[in-house]
């Protein structure tokens, strides 16, 4: 394969489209947060979103696994959320080496402001896209992830 042909293969690789969509979503989410005066990065939002589910008080390592963050990145994110008064950490009673992450009252309350903003970004992204196509993309991306985790 010639160099231009290799470049074309890479240019049209699905990974490029995944990266572009991911970046566009994160940038729009950040823009909407900033516009509304919400002092959160998309990564902080993803951590909070997990805690807002039924995972409040989860182990820090579990939070890293569920949000696809390495331990150092997650520690920095939780530090920043703690500085903003949105979460607190405590020792894990079952494993003294580990910590658990809990939402504060302010962290719980922020959901009412942030969730609608995030949902508006999802609606923007999905505007004009057939729901069957969205489901197919999700299935395809899940298959790609499974293939890469082998």
């Amino acid at each position: 394969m010639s160099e231009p042909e290799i470049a074309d293969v890479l240019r049209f690789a699905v990974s490029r489209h995944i990266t572009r969509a991911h970046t566009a979503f994160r940038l729009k989410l950040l823009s909407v947060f900033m516009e509304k005066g919400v002092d959160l990065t998309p990564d902080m939002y993803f951590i909070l979103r997990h805690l807002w589910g039924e995972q409040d008080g989860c182990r820090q390592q579990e939070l890293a696994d569920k949000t696809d963050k390495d331990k150092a990145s997650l520690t920095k994110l939780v530090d920043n959320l703690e500085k903003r008064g949105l979460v607190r950490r405590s020792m894990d009673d079952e494993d003294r080496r580990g910590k658990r992450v809990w939402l504060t009252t302010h962290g719980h309350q922020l959901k009412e402001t942030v969730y609608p903003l995030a949902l508006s970004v999802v609606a923007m992204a999905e505007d004009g896209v057939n729901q069957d196509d969205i489901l197919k993309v999700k299935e395809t991306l899940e298959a790609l992830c499974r293939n890469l985790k082998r």
Side-chain angles (χ1 to χ4, degrees):
M1 208 183 256
S2 71
E3 198 166 314
E5 289 172 322
I6 293 170
D8 282 345
V9 168
L10 293 175
R11 187 173 296 112
F12 295 106
V14 74
S15 61
R16 180 172 182 265
H17 296 285
I18 292 168
T19 301
R20 289 182 65 217
H22 178 72
T23 300
F25 184 84
R26 291 170 56 86
L27 288 173
K28 180 54 84 172
L29 190 61
L30 182 60
S31 171
V32 168
F33 286 170
M34 289 174 64
E35 182 180 298
K36 298 298 183 183
V38 176
D39 185 24
L40 286 180
T41 65
D43 285 332
M44 288 179 198
Y45 162 71
F46 297 133
I47 299 299
L48 290 172
R49 186 180 68 185
H50 185 74
L51 294 171
W52 287 328
E54 297 181 23
Q55 299 299 319
D56 190 18
C58 72
R59 290 184 175 96
Q60 196 161 315
Q61 184 59 54
E62 178 187 341
L63 193 54
D65 295 342
K66 295 287 185 178
T67 58
D68 298 313
K69 299 291 176 200
D70 60 61
K71 192 173 179 179
S73 296
L74 183 82
T75 298
K76 186 174 180 180
L77 286 165
V78 173
D79 285 347
N80 285 320
L81 289 167
E82 210 167 25
K83 287 176 189 170
R84 287 167 171 78
L86 301 172
V87 300
R88 65 176 176 79
R89 281 182 272 212
S90 65
M91 296 300 284
D92 185 345
D93 292 337
E94 296 171 24
D95 179 2
R96 293 278 181 203
R97 296 169 296 161
K99 295 193 185 234
R100 290 189 176 265
V101 181
W102 300 90
L103 290 162
T104 63
T105 300
H106 182 50
H108 279 288
Q109 292 169 342
L110 191 62
K111 179 181 178 181
E112 293 176 30
T113 302
V114 173
Y115 244 43
L117 298 176
L119 289 174
S120 75
V121 174
V122 170
M124 281 182 232
E126 293 180 354
D127 186 40
V129 180
N130 181 297
Q131 288 298 309
D132 290 337
D133 290 342
I134 290 170
L135 289 174
K136 185 64 179 169
V137 166
K138 287 171 69 174
E139 290 170 4
T140 302
L141 291 173
E142 286 172 9
L144 291 172
C145 286
R146 280 192 306 274
N147 289 344
L148 293 170
K149 288 182 178 181
R150 288 185 194 162

